[in-house]
Amino acid sequence: MISRRKFIAFLPGAFVALQDAKSQQPAQPQQPAKVWRIGFLSRGVRPADGAPPAALREGLQELGYADGASINYVGRWADMKNELLPGLAAELVGLKVDLIVVFGGQAAEAAKAATSTIPIVVVNAGDPVGTGLVASLARPGGNVSGISDQATELSAKRLELLKEAMPNASNIAVLWNAGDRAMTLRYREIEKASQVLGVTIRPLGVREPDDFDVAFSAMTRERPDALFLVTDALTNLNRRRILDFAAAHRIPAMYEFGSLVREGGLISYGPDLGESYRRAAVYVDRILKGAKPGELPVEQPRRYYLFVNVSTAKALGLTIPQSVLLRADEVIQ
């Protein structure tokens, strides 16, 4: 039997010996930090850097995802060939990405058809309820959520603004991608609004780059008072042709994004696409942290911007009403 006094005296030495033994044990290997793989799918043309949009990557960087360290991107672009989208979506699924960000309605439909389990965050996909991507904006269900550009409803507002800027316009051509269901929904909304505003709509649907020449020939034969461009990957890729044609034939045009007005278009009304991508980054972050996409409400852009190019108006011989200029977020001289 050891006395209580001797036992207490023994404790410090035993503790030191135990600590020495622990320090001599090999260190347990730390688990490597998770590196997320984010897929990106678009109908558009592959950019020179082969990377998803900068605004998306910058948004995720600000949220703590370092490119090449905690996150890797895998991008796929269809180069304007719709038939490639299903295969590209299947490739991303096969690569076992953790999440897919998609741009445009057709890319969104291809991604949804390819997987019901991998989360999908949509950007600029048109009316997600009307095209069946989600059950509702408040509760999407399934594996899809993201940013709705509200473009179907905005189409009527854009036509109204165009009519306000050009009160005498009565014959308006509408150029849109007729092969995209989301874009066709926008066109139909423009048709409805035209009946209220008392203008005649001339439909100019395109499906491939060669179709633009047909549309241009139609407008050359019978010049419209104005043009309304519905923007998607196809029309955006050919925007320079459209802007040049409108300028050469002195046709005022309404666009959906301010970047086209900065490039010489007359007027635009819509969200900032960079802001939409940054909001999409927030969805990616929340989903990677455990949120279910089907329980995240589809968000609408927080703000819409009115751009007017006064220099273009002067070249067209137009005077934009003060009521429009006073509401503009940016007036380009």
Side-chain angles (χ1 to χ4, degrees), residues 6 11 33 39 51 73 76 85 154 163 165 169 183 195 249 251 276 316 326:
K6 290 182 178 179
L11 283 177
Y73 298 99
R76 293 291 184 271
L85 284 170
L154 278 178
K163 180 67 173 173
M183 303 306 109
Q195 298 171 11
H249 293 266
I251 300 175
S276 295
L316 295 170
L326 289 173

Side-chain angles (χ1 to χ4, degrees), residues 144-157:
V144 179
S145 191
I147 311 300
S148 166
D149 56 10
Q150 222 183 2
T152 302
E153 296 86 346
L154 278 178
S155 294
K157 178 64 175 178

Side-chain angles (χ1 to χ4, degrees), residues 28-53:
Q28 295 296 319
Q30 293 184 345
Q31 293 295 323
K34 169 74 174 179
V35 179
W36 301 100
R37 301 191 78 194
I38 303 301
F40 179 79
L41 181 64
S42 170
R43 182 178 184 263
V45 175
R46 177 185 176 88
D49 61 4

Side-chain angles (χ1 to χ4, degrees), residues 177-194:
N177 179 2
D180 187 320
R181 289 197 303 147
M183 303 306 109
T184 299
L185 285 175
R186 297 189 200 182
Y187 167 71
R188 290 174 181 164
E189 191 66 23
I190 295 168
E191 272 192 321
K192 292 178 184 177
S194 70

Side-chain angles (χ1 to χ4, degrees), residues 68-208:
S70 58
I71 195 167
N72 286 326
Y73 298 99
V74 183
R76 293 291 184 271
W77 292 264
D79 292 328
M80 311 312 300
K81 299 174 182 176
N82 292 339
E83 66 274 14
L84 297 182
L85 284 170
L88 295 175
E91 278 186 34
L92 292 175
V93 172
L95 290 170
K96 301 187 186 312
V97 296
D98 297 294
L99 182 148
I100 303 174
V101 178
V102 298
F103 177 77
Q106 290 168 306
E109 291 176 11
K112 184 179 180 182
T115 178
S116 60
T117 55
I118 297 176
I120 298 169
V121 175
V122 300
V123 179
N124 201 39
D127 179 357
V129 177
T131 56
L133 286 174
V134 300
S136 71
L137 296 182
R139 196 169 180 83
N143 61 324
V144 179
S145 191
I147 311 300
S148 166
D149 56 10
Q150 222 183 2
T152 302
E153 296 86 346
L154 278 178
S155 294
K157 178 64 175 178
R158 288 172 174 135
L159 187 62
E160 180 183 334
L161 280 168
L162 179 59
K163 180 67 173 173
E164 185 177 349
M166 297 183 60
N168 295 326
S170 61
N171 186 338
I172 298 175
V174 180
L175 187 59
W176 89 101
N177 179 2
D180 187 320
R181 289 197 303 147
M183 303 306 109
T184 299
L185 285 175
R186 297 189 200 182
Y187 167 71
R188 290 174 181 164
E189 191 66 23
I190 295 168
E191 272 192 321
K192 292 178 184 177
S194 70
Q195 298 171 11
V196 177
L197 295 170
V199 298
T200 300
I201 293 298
R202 292 178 56 196
L204 296 173
V206 294
R207 296 174 184 270
E208 302 294 340

